Amino acid sequence: MWYSLAIGRPLWTKKNRIRFFKLRIFFVVFLFVFVFLPGVFHLCPKPSLLGSLDFSRAVYDRDGRLMRLTLTRDDKYRLKTESIPAVLYKAILFKEDRYFFYHPGVNPLSIARGFVHTFITRQGKMGGSTITMQLARLMYKLNTRDLPGKFIQMGLALAIEYFYTKREIAEAYCSLAPCGNNYEGFAAASLVYFRKPLSELSQLEAFTLAVIPQSPLQRTPERQTNNASLVKARNKLVEQWIKENPGDKALLPFLDFPLAIQARIPFNAPHFVNTLLQKYTQREKLATTIDMRYQGRLEEIAYRYVMRRRHLGIQNASLLLLDYETMEVKASVGSVEFFNEKIEGQVNGVYAKRSPGSTIKPFIYALAMEQGLIHPMTLLKDVPTNFNGYNPDNYDGEFEGPVTAQAALVRSRNIPAVYLAGRLSNPDTYDFLKTAGISELRPKETYGLSLVLGSLDLSSMELAELYAMLANKGVMQPALELIPEKEDSRKGKNQLLTPEACFIVLDVLKNNQRPDALPQTGGNDNPAPVYWKTGTSIGFRDAWTVGIFDNFVLVVWIGNFDGAGNPAFLSLKAAAPLFFEIVDTLRNTGLTRYSSRDFPFRIPDNVKQVEVCALSGQIPGLHCPKTVFTWFVPGVSPITPCTIHREIFVNAKTGYRAMFNEPGKTRSEIVEFWPSDLLALFEAAGLPRKTPPPFPPGTTDTPAQGKAPEIISPVGKNAYVVRNDTRTYDRIPFVAVTDADCAEVFWFVNENYIGESKTYEPFFWEGEPGLFTVRALDKLGRSDVRKIEIIVAD
């Protein structure tokens, strides 16, 4: 028998044998865990923590509040936890696994304690699973109620611990922990229950989440109005925590408060969110630029407005609010009722391509000013005009005659806009829109001049970007739907217009009067400027109002997604009232950055004010009776002397016009010399203008003064195509506009006289194939020339 030489007592006692047995067990376990298993794991493939799972996609507003949480393929609301806040980390470890950082995935002491508590003393069920074991069960859907399942769970837990860090294991568990109903993971639960991300959880909220996974069916907040089971479990855990951490006694008073949380998944800005989810398919988290203060107000205003106007056939609207300083989309309303099938409510009207009507006219005028064709007081003609076979009309069927450029833009006259568009070059309207990034443009030749009046299709987003360019001094930038990760991450800036042209156009648009019965924002004494334009598509299918106010661009569309027209879809009466209702609401609630006294658009250094004739818009002469001031860009804007007001001499006895002044025999008169097309319009309107008296009969040697005829048909540099079998029936109209002192036009083709016509009346000529020079000559010897080509097609 063995004896202890040191103490003289037997060494191999029963007590020592038990100790030795335990030591051998420990040694075997040690070898198994730290020698055998690592060798086995080294030969095995690395288990995937979360790779086979898909996660919900979360969409947030500008302030980080949840707007949408999507379902996974297995119908779960599950978010990946990428960072665990300290308060939640402490709560989870205190509740689930206090020795998480000290065991290799399995805690034998916890298992033994749970076995004794459950089966020996029968004091109730007590689990012994570690966080790693729970993760293994959740990952592989294990049944751990029997011994084989439990051993598999422990083996997988040891493998997970071998391949992954404690931080990775904890984050994976927090991503899969059952939190009631079909919510998985604390990140999703925090958003649903507390309306906040994990990083903003309070200590008490962290303890609340920590107790849910133990019994998710009984502790799901949405299953009970008073959440009694959840509150009881939470309070018990907090009391245990305070016993071990007395410094947190401040939590005790809050335990008596009711836990009023109710699970609800938000469904905000549905059209906007759906579009982003389809656009950014690889992103699980989308931090948008939407501000729910604006989004909610615009949705409410639009819905109430449509309800009030339904008796007129107005059933739908879409709205877009863009901050032009940051280019962030603040609100986007695709339709007034997302779930209304009758109006196709799930169509996103903000991104739908529609005819913009006259809303693109400001850019025609900006280009014309930039290219030196006009300034605001330039006189244009609103008269019936044939543009190479294209005969545009005004929406009211009327013509105003002579009209200034600024009045033509504000009143949305079509003829002046088409005339200017025809004179644009490098770029013309099409090239400008293409450079601006307008999508789905057809070839240029398919549009022609009708492009000016909205024959192309634009979306509300594209219109908002174009108007934001005016506010940003001609710099085109894409709108931001997501918050940029870096301040300088925006790309695509492009200078499309000069700051001078943008300023002048905006100054013109601010003079556009609000619709009837709508008072100005800010009071009559100091109204806040709004720079706005309307547009109505052909057939009354779309009614638009687009404008700039304070720091925003607002786009309002009224119409039907099926394209059905309605006479009520007149922009000034259908869209403009809604536009100004939104403007007033945002200003009155303090949600804009400029007060009514601010003028955000400063006058560029190269823009001056000059004096022009109030009637012609040209540099005033000695005989102009009235002058006004207008904006002018030196070196760019047109400089021509007034041609309307002229001094003539009239024979005092005969009343005929004299060629020169003869004291005592002639008198001086100031006469308005209007072009013949405008004179005809004045006469048709019952407002005949006084014309200069004629020269005496037989006068041939007249002074070379006044304006030469202007051929408006045929259009030069164009080829006229006639079919071989019908060309005898095709006649080309010759039309010329003359000065006020001429009533006839004499026509020549290749210097051969072919006939005469009244001024501004057509003369029809049957031509043959070939190249021809057409000349219009008035009785005073002034002339104009056009070159044309006639082609015969088979």
Side-chain angles (χ1 to χ4, degrees):
M1 182 177 291
W2 295 90
Y3 288 87
S4 172
L5 300 178
I7 59 175
R9 290 185 300 184
L11 180 63
W12 196 251
T13 63
K14 181 178 179 180
K15 187 176 182 180
N16 286 343
R17 286 199 301 269
I18 294 175
R19 290 175 179 173
F20 184 69
F21 177 76
K22 291 181 178 180
L23 182 62
R24 284 187 297 175
I25 293 296
F26 175 80
F27 183 70
V28 171
V29 171
F30 180 85
L31 291 177
F32 181 78
V33 173
F34 294 101
V35 178
F36 176 74
L37 285 182
V40 174
F41 295 153
H42 184 73
L43 299 176
C44 295
K46 181 179 180 180
S48 174
L49 279 181
L50 303 173
S52 60
L53 291 174
D54 68 312
F55 289 87
S56 299
R57 303 176 65 194
V59 184
Y60 302 89
D61 69 3
R62 189 70 176 81
D63 299 319
R65 291 175 295 188
L66 185 67
M67 298 174 64
R68 178 84 65 84
L69 192 64
T70 65
L71 282 168
T72 61
R73 288 191 295 269
D74 55 347
D75 293 329
K76 303 288 185 181
Y77 291 107
R78 180 193 303 123
L79 286 177
K80 185 181 295 183
T81 302
E82 298 177 348
S83 179
I84 308 174
V87 291
L88 183 61
Y89 220 143
K90 292 177 182 178
I92 296 171
L93 296 185
F94 186 77
K95 174 63 179 174
E96 300 288 352
D97 194 350
R98 300 189 187 187
Y99 301 99
F100 175 67
F101 289 104
Y102 306 102
H103 61 67
V106 177
N107 188 342
L109 295 179
S110 296
I111 294 177
R113 184 174 62 250
F115 180 82
V116 171
H117 194 276
T118 304
F119 298 104
I120 305 301
T121 63
R122 298 185 181 278
Q123 298 178 23
K125 291 184 178 180
M126 174 181 285
S129 298
T130 63
I131 285 179
T132 314
M133 292 173 63
Q134 294 184 52
L135 175 61
R137 175 176 57 83
L138 295 171
M139 286 173 52
Y140 298 102
K141 311 296 182 184
L142 301 176
N143 179 13
T144 58
R145 296 181 179 275
D146 53 23
L147 286 178
K150 182 62 71 174
F151 282 119
I152 294 174
Q153 180 187 24
M154 289 188 289
L156 289 172
L158 293 172
I160 291 172
E161 288 276 352
Y162 176 79
F163 287 104
Y164 295 96
T165 66
K166 291 291 186 179
R167 171 66 65 174
E168 291 172 329
I169 294 170
E171 290 176 351
Y173 169 76
C174 289
S175 300
L176 297 180
C179 292
N181 203 357
N182 58 340
Y183 310 124
E184 285 191 359
F186 295 122
S190 178
L191 289 174
V192 174
Y193 297 150
F194 300 113
R195 312 287 188 269
K196 62 179 67 174
L198 289 177
S199 59
E200 298 179 9
L201 285 176
S202 68
Q203 192 172 11
L204 202 60
E205 291 168 341
F207 279 115
T208 304
L209 289 181
V211 300
I212 296 177
Q214 273 199 342
S215 185
L217 291 179
Q218 285 72 33
R219 297 172 185 174
T220 301
E222 70 175 358
R223 288 183 176 271
Q224 311 172 75
T225 56
N226 58 0
N227 301 306
S229 177
L230 177 59
V231 170
K232 181 179 179 181
R234 190 270 317 269
N235 291 353
K236 180 179 179 181
L237 181 63
V238 172
E239 289 169 355
Q240 293 174 351
W241 172 267
I242 293 175
K243 287 181 181 180
E244 300 184 20
N245 301 274
D248 289 332
K249 287 184 178 180
L251 292 175
L252 285 174
F254 295 98
L255 300 183
D256 297 329
F257 292 167
L259 187 61
I261 59 176
Q262 189 76 21
R264 184 181 67 85
I265 304 294
F267 193 74
N268 298 326
H271 302 88
F272 180 79
V273 171
N274 283 355
T275 299
L276 291 190
L277 291 174
Q278 295 171 6
K279 187 175 181 180
Y280 302 98
T281 56
Q282 302 303 315
R283 296 195 187 186
E284 292 182 358
K285 178 180 179 181
L286 297 173
T288 74
T289 59
I290 292 293
D291 189 324
M292 289 307 300
R293 296 175 301 169
Y294 301 105
Q295 181 72 28
R297 280 180 170 83
L298 263 64
E299 288 178 354
E300 180 181 1
I301 293 172
Y303 178 78
R304 292 182 177 179
Y305 179 84
V306 169
M307 292 301 105
R308 296 195 305 267
R309 300 291 184 106
R310 279 219 160 143
H311 66 284
L312 299 175
I314 296 177
Q315 301 183 24
N316 210 348
S318 65
L319 313 171
L320 179 65
L321 186 68
L322 176 71
D323 187 330
Y324 66 78
E325 292 183 332
T326 63
M327 291 304 293
E328 293 182 357
V329 176
K330 293 300 182 182
S332 178
V333 182
S335 72
V336 293
E337 292 182 273
F338 184 80
F339 294 106
N340 189 337
E341 295 182 359
K342 293 182 179 179
I343 63 170
E344 301 178 75
Q346 296 190 23
V347 174
N348 189 349
V350 170
Y351 292 89
K353 290 279 194 172
R354 310 290 297 185
S355 169
S358 297
T359 57
I360 64 171
K361 285 180 181 175
F363 306 99
I364 308 297
Y365 284 81
L367 288 169
M369 292 177 184
E370 184 178 280
Q371 296 179 19
L373 301 178
I374 59 170
H375 56 67
M377 288 299 295
T378 296
L379 196 64
L380 301 174
K381 299 176 184 178
D382 182 23
V383 297
T385 307
N386 181 289
F387 296 95
N388 195 21
Y390 177 51
N391 298 279
D393 200 353
N394 290 310
Y395 76 94
D396 56 5
E398 303 292 335
F399 297 93
E400 296 187 6
V403 60
T404 64
Q406 63 182 14
L409 176 56
V410 168
R411 298 173 193 166
S412 199
R413 311 312 293 174
N414 290 339
I415 309 302
V418 175
Y419 166 75
L420 290 176
R423 298 183 61 193
L424 295 177
S425 62
N426 299 322
D428 58 15
T429 309
Y430 180 91
D431 295 333
F432 168 79
L433 294 173
K434 187 174 182 179
T435 306
I438 304 304
S439 63
E440 301 178 21
L441 284 174
R442 301 191 300 272
K444 181 188 295 189
E445 56 272 14
T446 63
Y447 293 108
L449 291 175
S450 66
L451 184 73
V452 181
L453 306 183
S455 62
L456 80 165
D457 291 330
L458 294 177
S459 68
S460 295
M461 184 66 73
E462 290 171 329
L463 272 176
E465 291 174 342
L466 285 172
Y467 275 75
M469 176 188 57
L470 291 177
N472 288 321
K473 302 179 182 179
V475 177
M476 186 73 180
Q477 304 174 71
L480 294 178
E481 302 163 322
L482 302 179
I483 298 175
E485 296 179 358
K486 299 179 181 179
E487 290 296 329
D488 59 350
S489 62
R490 284 187 293 173
K491 298 180 180 180
K493 295 184 179 181
N494 193 5
Q495 186 80 44
L496 295 187
L497 293 172
T498 63
E500 293 82 6
C502 292
F503 168 80
I504 295 175
V505 166
L506 287 173
D507 188 70
V508 171
L509 291 179
K510 79 173 183 180
N511 296 318
N512 198 358
Q513 296 297 312
R514 292 170 58 126
D516 295 339
L518 289 177
Q520 286 276 10
T521 303
N524 295 326
D525 296 335
N526 187 25
V530 180
Y531 316 84
W532 63 288
K533 184 72 184 71
T534 59
T536 304
S537 66
I538 297 175
F540 301 99
R541 294 182 176 89
D542 310 274
W544 297 88
T545 298
V546 188
I548 302 166
F549 68 100
D550 303 341
N551 56 301
F552 293 118
V553 173
L554 176 61
V555 181
V556 173
W557 172 84
I558 299 289
N560 297 312
F561 290 141
D562 61 3
N566 185 339
F569 295 167
L570 188 62
S571 56
L572 195 62
K573 296 182 178 180
L578 176 57
F579 175 90
F580 280 100
E581 185 175 344
I582 294 170
V583 171
D584 294 342
T585 299
L586 297 185
R587 281 177 167 172
N588 294 335
T589 52
L591 291 177
T592 62
R593 281 199 290 272
Y594 296 112
S595 68
S596 61
R597 296 184 180 275
D598 290 323
F599 188 80
F601 305 116
R602 305 301 177 186
I603 304 174
D605 294 337
N606 199 35
V607 173
K608 311 297 180 183
Q609 279 198 319
V610 298
E611 198 173 9
V612 297
C613 174
L615 193 60
S616 68
Q618 298 168 325
I619 301 300
L622 296 175
H623 311 299
C624 294
K626 184 180 179 181
T627 61
V628 295
F629 285 93
T630 188
W631 296 114
F632 191 86
V633 182
V636 177
S637 299
I639 303 176
T640 55
C642 178
T643 58
I644 299 295
H645 299 101
R646 305 180 201 170
E647 182 184 24
I648 65 172
F649 300 104
V650 179
N651 189 295
K653 290 184 178 181
T654 64
Y656 285 113
R657 183 177 172 185
M659 288 187 292
F660 50 83
N661 185 22
E662 297 183 64
K665 296 183 179 181
T666 60
R667 65 178 184 272
S668 173
E669 290 185 6
I670 305 300
V671 181
E672 296 177 2
F673 278 70
W674 291 101
S676 56
D677 53 350
L678 295 182
L679 284 175
L681 194 65
F682 285 140
E683 185 175 353
L687 300 171
R689 312 293 290 188
K690 180 181 178 180
T691 59
F695 288 100
T699 303
T700 58
D701 189 14
T702 57
Q705 298 177 351
K707 187 177 180 182
E710 179 186 358
I711 298 176
I712 60 176
S713 176
V715 180
K717 299 180 181 179
N718 277 348
Y720 289 80
V721 181
V722 295
R723 295 185 60 84
N724 189 40
D725 55 347
T726 62
R727 63 186 179 90
T728 56
Y729 302 99
D730 287 319
R731 300 187 299 168
I732 299 176
F734 290 177
V735 181
V737 176
T738 65
D739 209 353
D741 54 2
C742 289
E744 297 88 15
V745 179
F746 304 95
W747 293 100
F748 296 81
V749 175
N750 290 345
E751 304 305 327
N752 297 317
Y753 175 75
I754 61 171
E756 65 181 82
S757 65
K758 295 287 186 180
T759 180
Y760 199 58
E761 290 185 1
F763 175 85
F764 293 96
W765 175 65
E766 293 184 4
E768 297 291 333
L771 295 173
F772 300 92
T773 299
V774 180
R775 182 183 299 275
L777 182 72
D778 66 17
K779 66 180 181 179
L780 299 181
R782 300 166 299 198
S783 65
D784 190 20
V785 175
R786 294 285 186 274
K787 293 184 180 296
I788 64 172
E789 180 182 7
I790 298 179
I791 301 174
V792 177
D794 294 332

